[in-house]
Amino acid sequence: MGKITGFMEFQRQEEGYLPPATRLKNYAEFVIPLTNEQAKVQGARCMDCGIPFCNNGCPVNNIIPDWNDLVYRGNYREALDTLHSTNNFPEFTGRICPAPCEAACTLGISEDPVGIKSIEHKIIDEGWEHGWVVPQPAARQTGKKVAVVGSGPAGLAAAQQLARAGHAVTVFEKSDRIGGLLRYGIPDFKMEKSHIDRRIEQMKAEGVVFRTSVLIGKDFPANVNNWAKETIFPEDLEKEFDAVVLAGGAEQPRDLPVPGRELKGVHFAMDFLPQQNKVNAGDKVKDQIKAAGKHVVVIGGGDTGSDCVGTSNRQGAASVTQFELMPMPPEQENKPLVWPYWPTKLRTSSSHDEGCERDWAVATKRLEGKGGKLEKLVACRVEWKDGKMVEVPNSEFEMKADLVFLAMGFVSPVASILDAFGVDKDGRGNAKATTDGEGCYKTSAAKVFAAGDVRRGQSLVVWAIREGRQCARAVDEFLMGSSELPR
């Protein structure tokens, strides 16, 4: 805990933002971190609640009260060690995690919760600034080789843990740079890619080998980005390595099967967002999708849709509208009903604040245009009765649309990859593997494991890190008979 009476004396202090007019001029991060004094005050608010529900609210089970107290006392070095004991990449989660830990904060029952995410952000930034984040190579090598397929947060977490256990780890990535959706899905204004780059350098120093532009598999769907220049068949990978970790994410996007879907100007969000990431990295992108001067409609009310909003505004869109199929959630949650679980409530992102019309309970009926080019969207109001969606009579309306971005989530991993490894799938098309007991994270294939979104379906970065860490321990036990890696 922090100061005994701190939660009664101090109010929650949010991280600051640069004003929209300033931040819309570029793709740089615009969050203003807490000062040391502000972080100390926030750490002081952590109360002696007896049972820290924040630990369980956090998927990686961060030891939050401990590092809150250490920040309150100004001991950032030990706070960093405590943070790293459960989380390989707090600079990722400190920027893009929605902070389920704060929803579970005991203080949040009656007051604003402790600013846990902002403190985490402060700790890791202090760690990098002072040179405390250094390689941790294994003291000895086991002689075992592990392949990790996919370099998102699950793959990176698994690779780092396995390398520190002494295994020779090679990470395969079909894109031209490491990071998965961290690199080519999350806009730079939410997380600059230098944070990934310096972790990669740390991991290289720990012995991890990275191979980019390499596709593991055979057939690959056209609606998922694939910039590979080399293909390796699963059977060849299994011959070379003692274990394989599948961590390729859930990349199959949910489509919108309505008339006019084929019109030029209708794109998946993951056709649009990675292009801007590549441009920001200095690449030339042929036929880049640009929102400048156009009327943009984003279908899907989640984080990916919000990222399309922010990117469209930075490109100079004439207007941006975001539709959500579900009803508008309440502005405030019913805390006695939902605490300590993640509440359903209205969430307004920084991208929404930059300029966006939002509408709820709207379904797209068709897309219309001329000469094969999108011109408008036709939608209607809907309501939900007994769990079923029903169109509201006489509610159809039209909206001018030059671009429509489909940001309705992801349905599953790429099936052809799982099929190529002979991995059984669950009812949702994910790699079938348990997370408890003997053989956890192991698939039906002999020495193939699965972690992250490829196993659990579309989820959060912090869940991917958790699964990568736990999967690494399972692989270590599989190879060595036992493991000292944390679970």
Side-chain angles (χ1 to χ4, degrees):
M1 60 171 293
K3 186 179 181 182
I4 293 177
T5 57
F7 70 97
M8 296 186 290
E9 298 176 31
F10 306 119
Q11 299 299 309
R12 178 183 171 96
Q13 172 74 53
E14 298 280 357
E15 292 179 312
Y17 288 164
L18 294 176
T22 300
R23 65 196 196 223
L24 283 172
K25 295 177 180 179
N26 55 55
Y27 291 86
E29 290 182 12
F30 52 80
V31 172
I32 303 172
L34 301 181
T35 65
N36 283 22
E37 183 59 31
Q38 288 171 334
K40 177 179 179 178
V41 169
Q42 283 307 291
R45 297 185 70 237
C46 188
M47 61 194 298
D48 187 7
C49 60
I51 300 175
F53 285 89
C54 56
N55 288 14
N56 290 331
C58 172
V60 294
N61 302 123
N62 277 329
I63 312 170
I64 294 164
D66 291 36
W67 42 258
N68 280 344
D69 180 67
L70 289 164
V71 168
Y72 166 63
R73 301 180 189 283
N75 190 345
Y76 280 94
R77 183 69 182 86
E78 191 173 345
L80 180 67
D81 291 341
T82 306
L83 178 54
H84 267 150
S85 71
T86 55
N87 186 351
N88 295 66
F89 313 119
E91 63 269 46
F92 303 163
T93 52
R95 284 169 168 82
I96 59 176
C97 181
C101 54
E102 294 187 12
C105 174
T106 304
L107 181 57
I109 297 174
S110 57
E111 304 287 343
D112 289 332
V114 175
I116 298 168
K117 179 179 174 180
S118 62
I119 297 174
E120 178 182 27
H121 187 179
K122 180 65 175 176
I123 293 170
I124 186 58
D125 281 4
E126 288 285 313
W128 283 110
E129 181 179 342
H130 289 89
W132 298 331
V133 184
V134 296
Q136 300 177 39
R140 61 179 181 82
Q141 296 298 308
T142 64
K144 301 292 186 180
K145 298 173 64 178
V146 182
V148 177
V149 181
S151 68
L156 292 179
Q160 185 165 62
Q161 293 296 95
L162 288 165
R164 290 176 176 178
H167 304 304
V169 181
T170 301
V171 177
F172 295 89
E173 170 58 53
K174 71 181 186 307
S175 296
D176 57 348
R177 295 181 177 91
I178 295 297
L181 286 187
L182 292 171
R183 174 80 65 180
Y184 286 130
I186 294 172
D188 290 357
F189 56 80
K190 287 177 67 174
M191 191 184 80
E192 294 176 7
K193 304 318 175 216
S194 58
H195 303 299
I196 305 173
D197 295 337
R198 59 188 178 186
R199 277 295 178 185
I200 298 309
E201 292 305 310
Q202 179 199 34
M203 292 175 66
K204 285 180 178 178
E206 293 171 349
V208 178
V209 174
F210 294 96
R211 293 185 59 183
T212 57
S213 299
V214 178
L215 174 66
I216 306 300
K218 298 176 181 178
D219 300 324
F220 206 77
N223 60 357
V224 177
N225 288 320
N226 175 22
W227 298 313
K229 298 179 180 178
E230 177 186 356
T231 298
I232 298 177
F233 292 156
E235 53 266 31
D236 295 329
L237 200 71
E238 291 172 299
K239 288 177 184 177
E240 183 180 352
F241 292 89
D242 299 296
V244 176
V245 175
L246 300 182
E251 296 185 282
Q252 194 69 49
R254 181 174 284 106
D255 209 339
L256 183 68
V258 298
R261 169 64 180 87
E262 74 287 350
L263 291 171
K264 184 178 180 181
V266 184
H267 306 276
F268 287 116
M270 285 301 127
D271 292 335
F272 174 58
L273 296 174
Q275 288 186 345
Q276 188 60 56
N277 290 133
K278 291 181 74 67
V279 170
N280 292 347
D283 294 351
K284 292 184 179 180
V285 176
K286 184 180 179 181
D287 300 324
Q288 183 187 359
I289 303 165
K290 294 183 179 179
K294 297 180 179 179
H295 298 279
V296 176
V297 177
V298 179
I299 300 177
D303 289 338
T304 302
S306 173
D307 293 343
C308 289
V309 170
T311 303
S312 296
N313 278 323
R314 279 164 180 75
Q315 290 185 354
S319 69
V320 182
T321 303
Q322 186 176 21
F323 288 149
E324 167 57 49
L325 188 64
M326 301 302 292
M328 181 178 176
E331 292 191 10
Q332 292 294 330
E333 73 271 33
N334 185 339
K335 287 186 179 181
L337 179 66
V338 300
W339 181 88
Y341 301 107
W342 184 248
T344 297
K345 67 176 183 178
L346 180 63
R347 302 177 193 277
T348 300
S349 73
S350 58
S351 292
H352 295 140
D353 288 335
E354 293 164 359
C356 175
E357 293 294 326
R358 304 163 72 188
D359 206 347
W360 289 264
V362 173
T364 302
K365 297 187 71 173
R366 61 187 180 276
L367 303 164
E368 296 182 357
K370 292 180 181 178
K373 184 178 179 181
L374 176 69
E375 291 187 339
K376 64 182 178 181
L377 176 149
V378 180
C380 66
R381 304 285 171 186
V382 296
E383 57 185 0
W384 295 82
K385 296 181 178 179
D386 299 324
K388 295 182 179 181
M389 184 181 73
V390 179
E391 180 177 344
V392 176
N394 303 315
S395 66
E396 186 174 299
F397 65 95
E398 297 180 355
M399 172 165 289
K400 182 174 177 57
D402 303 307
L403 281 176
V404 166
F405 294 128
L406 307 180
M408 303 175 295
F410 302 87
V411 295
S412 69
V414 174
S416 59
I417 298 295
L418 301 184
D419 292 339
F421 278 95
V423 170
D424 289 347
K425 297 187 281 288
D426 65 16
R428 296 184 298 153
N430 303 320
K432 189 176 182 179
T434 65
T435 58
D436 297 307
E438 186 176 351
C440 61
Y441 290 96
K442 190 175 182 304
T443 71
S444 57
K447 53 183 178 181
V448 179
F449 294 74
D453 288 6
V454 74
R455 191 205 67 82
R456 64 179 288 116
Q458 178 187 352
S459 190
L460 304 176
V461 166
V462 67
W463 271 107
I465 294 173
R466 170 195 172 114
E467 295 223 343
R469 288 172 60 89
Q470 292 187 344
C471 182
R473 179 183 171 93
V475 172
D476 193 33
E477 289 177 338
F478 171 76
L479 295 174
M480 309 302 294
S482 62
S483 177
E484 296 181 357
L485 289 174
R487 192 176 192 279

